[in-house]
Amino acid sequence: MASPPPFDRTFIPWRYQYPVDNMISRYKYSRQQQFARPLVADLARHLELVFRDQSYEKPLLLIPSPMHPARRRARGFNQARDIAERLGNALEIPVDAGIVRRVRNVKAQRGLSREARLANLRGVFEVRSEVPQRVAIVDDVVTTGATVRVIASALRSAGAKNIQIWALARTPG
């Protein structure tokens, strides 16, 4: 039997397929902000309803999926941080992009199997300060879930009790 994930809930409204995949790619690789705005705004509206109408508590902190500094310099920005800041502003939740740090660069995850991704990420993330009880990890796309699993495990070990995953899209399958 597979082990349960180290997080409690995901909020990922879209599949990473046309047209969402094209929108995210243009935002992520060409910094065309206009393609992310409607996706982030819709996710924020959805989350507002979830926290108002259901029994889920808002996280106390949003944690963007960290990017190695070399990759951030090459890309020009960390899209997960940008998304987290937009959601944080809309939902009045603070964002801390420094609480989890990527301590070493790894080869790109694209094209790797789930097992290879998990092995690739072993020992990559470090929690640098105290973690609140309820947090959300924010990213643009969840593919196999390897990255969010590794970050969530580190946060759980550091004391987080409720960990949510917020992303714009998930790969089909």
Side-chain angles (χ1 to χ4, degrees), residues 5-109:
F7 48 84
D8 300 284
R9 181 86 165 91
T10 62
F11 294 99
I12 307 173
W14 293 281
R15 287 177 170 255
Y16 190 69
Q17 58 192 26
Y18 187 82
V20 172
D21 57 346
N22 191 18
M23 293 170 73
I24 292 173
S25 290
R26 290 181 71 172
Y27 161 63
K28 185 174 179 174
Y29 300 113
S30 301
R31 292 192 73 177
Q32 295 179 7
Q33 302 283 329
Q34 69 272 25
F35 289 100
R37 283 188 200 112
L39 299 174
V40 174
D42 282 352
L43 178 55
R45 277 191 293 277
H46 172 70
L47 290 165
E48 280 174 357
L49 294 173
V50 164
F51 296 124
R52 188 184 69 214
D53 299 340
Q54 297 178 21
S55 60
Y56 297 108
E57 289 186 273
K58 264 189 197 182
L60 299 169
L61 186 66
L62 301 184
I63 301 170
S65 181
M67 181 181 274
H68 190 273
R71 187 163 288 149
R72 189 178 55 245
R73 278 191 299 277
R75 188 169 294 158
F77 78 124
N78 176 349
Q79 72 281 355
R81 182 177 184 167
D82 184 60
I83 294 164
E85 288 173 352
R86 291 168 188 251
L87 291 170
N89 286 335
L91 298 166
E92 299 177 336
I93 302 171
V95 175
D96 188 340
I99 197 166
V100 176
R101 184 174 71 140
R102 189 180 279 262
V103 294
R104 66 182 172 82
N105 206 359
V106 294
K107 65 181 178 179
Q109 297 281 87

Side-chain angles (χ1 to χ4, degrees), residues 119-161:
N120 194 36
L121 292 171
R122 200 163 289 120
V124 168
F125 299 106
E126 160 187 277
V127 178
R128 302 183 61 184
S129 59
E130 197 171 317
V131 177
Q133 298 282 309
R134 294 187 319 273
V135 299
I137 300 165
V138 180
D139 212 344
D140 59 338
V141 178
V142 172
T143 305
T144 64
T147 301
V148 294
R149 280 177 178 270
V150 173
I151 296 169
S153 292
L155 290 167
R156 180 95 52 209
S157 295
K161 302 289 185 233

